[in-house]
Amino acid sequence: MEFTRCFPVWDKLTPVQQQKLSEAVVSRHIPKGTVIHRGSLDCSGLLLVQSGQLRAYILSDEGQEITIYRLIEEDICLFSASCVMRNIQFDISIEAEKDTQIWVIPPDVYRALMEESAAVANYTNDLMSSRFSEVMWLIEQVMWRSFDRRLADFLLRESALEGTPVLIITHEKIANHLGSAREVVTRMLRYFQSEGLVKLSRGRVELTDRKRLALLCEDGL
């Protein structure tokens, strides 16, 4: 996969800007489980996913996590380069959920492109708006949606993302995604199992009734 094909506004850059960007961008391999960005004090640069999967999450002072969004092939992470945007800081961490290959655009290079190119500046604003929308959606889910519906929605989304009804995932990991306690997740999954919605085994959740899970997302228990 070529960087020039994946960078959304490549064709709108001048030849000089294209050359500068080509010389600056770096390809990195990130092993599964590696945290590559830690909060607002870290400015890793703009990340563009070649393959694999990243997770952006918030970590509380007590060590509790909640997933903000996921990044898959050709997705771009802007929060990892928040230092290029004046007066905006984000305490967001980024972890590789799978072995991942990324391109990294150094923050100073991307900042210069934003200042020189209206196309890059507009794209950055659109991307930022999209990410803020995802954050607002998450806040609404946490505040107003019952946990059973959030869990059912997570299981269905995870199944779609992985392309299988069998999820290799621990209760602890689900809790980290949803910003909850492992005990709460275990209790609700056991209830789901008693209702025939899922089948549980160690480190594994199998979705056995996707239709009822989807109805649960709409109606709740």
Side-chain angles (χ1 to χ4, degrees):
M1 185 185 301
E2 295 181 2
F3 172 79
T4 57
R5 183 176 68 81
C6 297
F7 189 64
V9 291
W10 176 263
D11 293 338
K12 296 181 180 180
L13 300 178
T14 66
V16 172
Q17 290 168 342
Q18 290 178 344
Q19 181 178 357
K20 184 184 300 184
L21 184 54
S22 294
E23 293 173 350
V25 68
V26 177
S27 181
R28 289 181 57 193
H29 175 74
I30 312 298
K32 178 181 178 180
T34 304
V35 177
I36 59 175
H37 179 83
R38 297 180 184 274
S40 60
L41 297 180
D42 195 359
C43 193
S44 310
L46 197 79
L47 310 181
L48 199 166
V49 180
Q50 299 180 51
S51 61
Q53 185 172 300
L54 301 178
R55 176 174 79 107
Y57 63 96
I58 292 175
L59 183 65
S60 73
D61 292 339
E62 294 75 27
Q64 187 171 346
E65 300 176 8
I66 185 168
T67 298
I68 302 297
Y69 55 82
R70 318 289 268 288
L71 296 157
I72 58 176
E73 187 175 305
E74 296 189 29
D75 279 343
I76 288 180
C77 186
L78 184 61
F79 287 168
S80 57
S82 59
C83 59
V84 307
M85 293 161 283
R86 296 190 182 101
N87 302 321
I88 300 181
Q89 292 184 333
F90 303 96
D91 286 320
I92 288 179
S93 298
I94 300 170
E95 172 193 25
E97 290 193 296
K98 301 178 179 179
D99 286 344
T100 303
Q101 196 73 25
I102 62 173
W103 285 294
V104 182
I105 304 175
D108 56 332
V109 173
Y110 195 76
R111 183 188 295 110
L113 282 176
M114 285 178 58
E115 294 173 351
E116 297 171 5
S117 170
V120 173
N122 290 336
Y123 172 72
T124 302
N125 290 334
D126 290 342
L127 185 58
M128 182 61 68
S129 296
S130 175
R131 293 305 183 207
F132 269 127
S133 294
E134 290 177 299
V135 172
M136 291 305 299
W137 178 86
L138 176 64
I139 291 173
E140 290 176 357
Q141 297 296 302
V142 173
M143 291 184 64
W144 310 119
R145 207 176 193 198
S146 61
F147 185 73
D148 60 311
R149 295 171 71 183
R150 291 179 58 215
L151 179 57
D153 182 70
F154 171 80
L155 294 175
L156 290 171
R157 287 173 179 268
E158 194 74 6
S159 176
L161 185 63
E162 297 296 332
T164 175
V166 179
L167 305 179
I168 308 302
I169 190 170
T170 65
H171 297 188
E172 182 74 27
K173 192 65 175 178
I174 295 174
N176 288 343
H177 280 298
L178 297 177
S180 184
R182 179 185 57 79
E183 294 78 10
V184 174
V185 171
T186 297
R187 186 162 57 246
M188 189 60 70
L189 282 174
R190 286 175 177 169
Y191 179 81
F192 282 6
Q193 180 170 247
S194 72
E195 292 292 307
L197 303 178
V198 302
K199 182 179 179 181
L200 304 177
S201 56
R202 187 174 181 84
R204 171 182 168 129
V205 180
E206 180 181 354
L207 280 59
T208 54
D209 196 332
R210 298 174 62 91
K211 184 176 180 180
R212 287 178 62 204
L213 282 170
L215 289 174
L216 175 58
C217 290
E218 299 174 4
D219 302 327
L221 291 176

XYZ file of all heavy atoms in Angstrom, residues 136-175:
336
model
N -18.561 12.927 21.534
C -19.877 13.338 22.031
C -20.846 12.160 22.028
O -21.656 12.003 22.950
C -20.420 14.485 21.186
C -19.665 15.797 21.352
S -19.584 16.332 23.087
C -21.328 16.522 23.468
N -20.767 11.324 20.983
C -21.624 10.128 20.926
C -21.325 9.229 22.110
O -22.245 8.699 22.745
C -21.367 9.381 19.616
C -22.162 8.119 19.481
C -23.431 7.977 19.007
C -21.733 6.794 19.858
N -23.825 6.662 19.056
C -22.811 5.912 19.572
C -20.556 6.275 20.384
C -22.735 4.538 19.807
C -20.473 4.910 20.636
C -21.551 4.060 20.338
N -20.038 9.056 22.434
C -19.662 8.215 23.560
C -20.207 8.785 24.870
O -20.735 8.046 25.710
C -18.143 8.092 23.635
C -17.604 7.310 24.832
C -18.053 5.858 24.772
C -16.086 7.403 24.886
N -20.091 10.085 25.055
C -20.590 10.717 26.278
C -22.093 10.474 26.418
O -22.595 10.151 27.506
C -20.288 12.227 26.271
C -18.776 12.460 26.408
C -21.036 12.934 27.410
C -18.363 13.902 26.241
N -22.822 10.599 25.328
C -24.263 10.349 25.357
C -24.561 8.904 25.740
O -25.498 8.623 26.508
C -24.876 10.673 23.996
C -24.893 12.160 23.666
C -25.409 12.431 22.272
O -25.696 11.447 21.543
O -25.551 13.606 21.904
N -23.771 7.967 25.193
C -23.971 6.555 25.512
C -23.767 6.295 26.998
O -24.568 5.609 27.643
C -22.989 5.691 24.707
C -23.165 5.760 23.206
C -24.513 5.223 22.765
O -24.864 4.086 23.032
N -25.274 6.058 22.099
N -22.682 6.842 27.542
C -22.360 6.601 28.949
C -23.398 7.235 29.868
O -23.797 6.648 30.881
C -20.947 7.141 29.272
C -20.660 7.060 30.765
C -19.892 6.361 28.483
N -23.855 8.417 29.517
C -24.752 9.160 30.399
C -26.198 8.673 30.330
O -26.892 8.614 31.344
C -24.698 10.652 30.063
C -23.394 11.329 30.423
S -23.439 13.106 30.121
C -24.696 13.627 31.289
N -26.663 8.333 29.128
C -28.091 8.123 28.949
C -28.499 6.704 28.583
O -29.685 6.389 28.616
C -28.624 9.073 27.872
C -28.230 10.496 28.063
C -27.501 11.279 27.227
C -28.550 11.334 29.186
N -27.335 12.536 27.739
C -27.965 12.603 28.943
C -29.262 11.137 30.375
C -28.082 13.659 29.840
C -29.374 12.185 31.262
C -28.787 13.429 30.999
N -27.559 5.843 28.233
C -27.928 4.509 27.781
C -27.612 3.473 28.853
O -26.535 3.515 29.457
C -27.170 4.170 26.494
C -27.877 3.174 25.603
C -27.124 2.980 24.320
N -27.919 2.270 23.326
C -27.401 1.673 22.271
N -26.091 1.704 22.064
N -28.181 1.055 21.408
N -28.515 2.543 29.085
C -28.304 1.521 30.107
C -27.153 0.605 29.710
O -26.845 0.442 28.526
C -29.576 0.699 30.308
O -29.927 0.033 29.102
N -26.517 -0.014 30.709
C -25.319 -0.802 30.441
C -25.619 -2.036 29.597
O -24.791 -2.438 28.769
C -24.645 -1.223 31.752
C -23.347 -1.925 31.527
C -22.223 -1.219 31.125
C -23.243 -3.304 31.686
C -21.020 -1.862 30.884
C -22.047 -3.949 31.458
C -20.932 -3.230 31.047
N -26.769 -2.659 29.771
C -27.096 -3.837 28.973
C -27.135 -3.504 27.483
O -26.640 -4.270 26.648
C -28.424 -4.449 29.423
C -29.589 -3.490 29.293
O -29.455 -2.334 29.756
O -30.623 -3.879 28.734
N -27.667 -2.342 27.143
C -27.738 -1.919 25.739
C -26.352 -1.569 25.209
O -26.008 -1.898 24.073
C -28.688 -0.733 25.609
C -30.122 -1.070 25.950
C -31.003 0.157 26.024
N -31.243 0.733 24.713
C -31.946 1.856 24.519
N -32.437 2.513 25.563
N -32.129 2.311 23.306
N -25.540 -0.924 26.041
C -24.178 -0.590 25.618
C -23.360 -1.849 25.380
O -22.591 -1.937 24.414
C -23.490 0.282 26.671
C -24.045 1.695 26.794
C -23.318 2.474 27.867
N -21.889 2.536 27.586
C -20.937 2.516 28.508
N -21.263 2.423 29.787
N -19.672 2.575 28.159
N -23.516 -2.842 26.259
C -22.774 -4.093 26.112
C -23.221 -4.848 24.863
O -22.381 -5.363 24.107
C -22.962 -4.958 27.353
C -22.263 -6.328 27.339
C -20.765 -6.173 27.114
C -22.541 -7.081 28.640
N -24.521 -4.927 24.628
C -25.022 -5.606 23.425
C -24.510 -4.911 22.168
O -24.085 -5.564 21.204
C -26.552 -5.623 23.441
N -24.526 -3.586 22.187
C -24.043 -2.824 21.035
C -22.551 -3.066 20.814
O -22.104 -3.251 19.681
C -24.306 -1.328 21.265
C -23.882 -0.479 20.087
O -24.532 -0.552 19.033
O -22.881 0.264 20.208
N -21.781 -3.102 21.897
C -20.345 -3.362 21.779
C -20.082 -4.736 21.174
O -19.232 -4.888 20.292
C -19.669 -3.258 23.145
C -18.240 -3.728 23.136
C -17.230 -2.904 22.667
C -17.917 -5.020 23.556
C -15.912 -3.342 22.633
C -16.605 -5.462 23.521
C -15.597 -4.621 23.056
N -20.791 -5.759 21.652
C -20.584 -7.115 21.146
C -20.889 -7.205 19.653
O -20.142 -7.841 18.894
C -21.456 -8.101 21.922
C -21.114 -8.287 23.409
C -22.139 -9.198 24.076
C -19.704 -8.838 23.597
N -21.954 -6.557 19.224
C -22.312 -6.578 17.808
C -21.293 -5.824 16.964
O -20.904 -6.283 15.880
C -23.712 -5.981 17.611
C -24.871 -6.829 18.134
C -26.174 -6.033 18.092
C -25.010 -8.109 17.323
N -20.842 -4.678 17.460
C -19.843 -3.905 16.720
C -18.517 -4.666 16.648
O -17.846 -4.669 15.606
C -19.630 -2.540 17.387
C -20.785 -1.558 17.197
C -20.563 -0.303 18.020
N -21.617 0.660 17.837
C -21.612 1.632 16.931
N -20.551 1.770 16.139
N -22.615 2.480 16.819
N -18.135 -5.282 17.743
C -16.884 -6.034 17.779
C -16.954 -7.224 16.825
O -15.985 -7.540 16.118
C -16.612 -6.509 19.207
C -15.204 -6.997 19.445
C -14.188 -5.885 19.510
O -14.585 -4.700 19.476
O -12.979 -6.188 19.581
N -18.098 -7.895 16.787
C -18.296 -9.022 15.881
C -18.189 -8.581 14.431
O -17.570 -9.257 13.600
C -19.662 -9.663 16.139
O -19.920 -10.701 15.219
N -18.789 -7.425 14.113
C -18.711 -6.897 12.744
C -17.278 -6.516 12.390
O -16.811 -6.762 11.269
C -19.640 -5.691 12.601
N -16.565 -5.931 13.348
C -15.187 -5.506 13.112
C -14.273 -6.707 12.866
O -13.407 -6.680 11.979
C -14.683 -4.702 14.313
C -13.296 -4.062 14.219
C -13.264 -3.019 13.105
C -12.924 -3.410 15.542
N -14.475 -7.774 13.626
C -13.626 -8.959 13.507
C -14.113 -9.924 12.439
O -13.386 -10.834 12.026
C -13.545 -9.685 14.854
C -12.910 -8.876 15.969
C -11.458 -8.546 15.689
O -10.800 -9.321 14.966
O -10.978 -7.505 16.179
N -15.362 -9.750 11.988
C -15.896 -10.626 10.953
C -16.205 -12.028 11.436
O -16.146 -12.986 10.668
N -16.556 -12.159 12.735
C -16.858 -13.472 13.296
C -17.767 -13.314 14.510
O -17.678 -12.318 15.232
C -15.572 -14.213 13.721
O -15.926 -15.434 14.378
C -14.737 -13.370 14.664
N -18.668 -14.301 14.754
C -19.506 -14.239 15.956
C -18.775 -14.703 17.210
O -19.303 -14.589 18.314
C -20.655 -15.201 15.608
C -20.036 -16.202 14.697
C -19.027 -15.430 13.881
N -17.568 -15.230 17.048
C -16.783 -15.719 18.184
C -15.696 -14.692 18.510
O -14.763 -14.485 17.729
C -16.152 -17.091 17.881
C -15.332 -17.553 19.077
C -17.226 -18.116 17.538
N -15.817 -14.051 19.655
C -14.883 -13.004 20.053
C -13.874 -13.557 21.052
O -14.259 -14.104 22.095
C -15.635 -11.831 20.686
C -16.765 -11.219 19.841
C -17.444 -10.095 20.604
C -16.233 -10.730 18.505
N -12.612 -13.446 20.733
C -11.552 -13.833 21.656
C -11.201 -12.588 22.463
O -10.378 -11.762 22.068
C -10.321 -14.375 20.902
C -10.756 -15.477 19.930
C -9.283 -14.887 21.883
C -11.472 -16.646 20.598
N -11.856 -12.458 23.607
C -11.722 -11.235 24.400
C -12.075 -11.546 25.849
O -12.974 -12.351 26.127
C -12.636 -10.118 23.830
C -12.340 -8.770 24.487
C -14.118 -10.482 23.971
C -13.026 -7.593 23.791
N -11.360 -10.935 26.776
C -11.616 -11.156 28.196
C -12.658 -10.169 28.714
O -12.911 -9.128 28.104
C -10.331 -10.986 29.016
O -9.886 -9.613 28.920
C -9.237 -11.917 28.519
N -13.245 -10.507 29.848
C -14.199 -9.599 30.483
C -13.500 -8.302 30.898
O -14.098 -7.222 30.850
C -14.836 -10.274 31.699
C -15.640 -11.487 31.366
N -16.420 -12.145 32.285
C -15.797 -12.166 30.189
C -17.019 -13.175 31.711
N -16.645 -13.207 30.440
N -12.241 -8.420 31.307
C -11.454 -7.242 31.685
C -11.294 -6.297 30.503
O -11.428 -5.071 30.641
C -10.079 -7.677 32.197
C -9.186 -6.530 32.656
C -9.607 -5.954 33.990
O -10.211 -6.681 34.797
O -9.322 -4.774 34.222
N -11.029 -6.853 29.325
C -10.847 -6.024 28.133
C -12.150 -5.349 27.744
O -12.154 -4.169 27.353
C -10.336 -6.894 26.973
C -9.838 -6.094 25.785
C -8.607 -5.290 26.148
C -8.031 -4.581 24.928
N -6.846 -3.761 25.276
N -13.255 -6.056 27.832
C -14.553 -5.444 27.537
C -14.818 -4.296 28.499
O -15.290 -3.224 28.098
C -15.675 -6.497 27.626
C -15.502 -7.567 26.540
C -17.048 -5.835 27.488
C -16.474 -8.723 26.651
N -14.505 -4.520 29.775
C -14.689 -3.465 30.782
C -13.860 -2.235 30.437
O -14.320 -1.091 30.587
C -14.314 -3.995 32.166
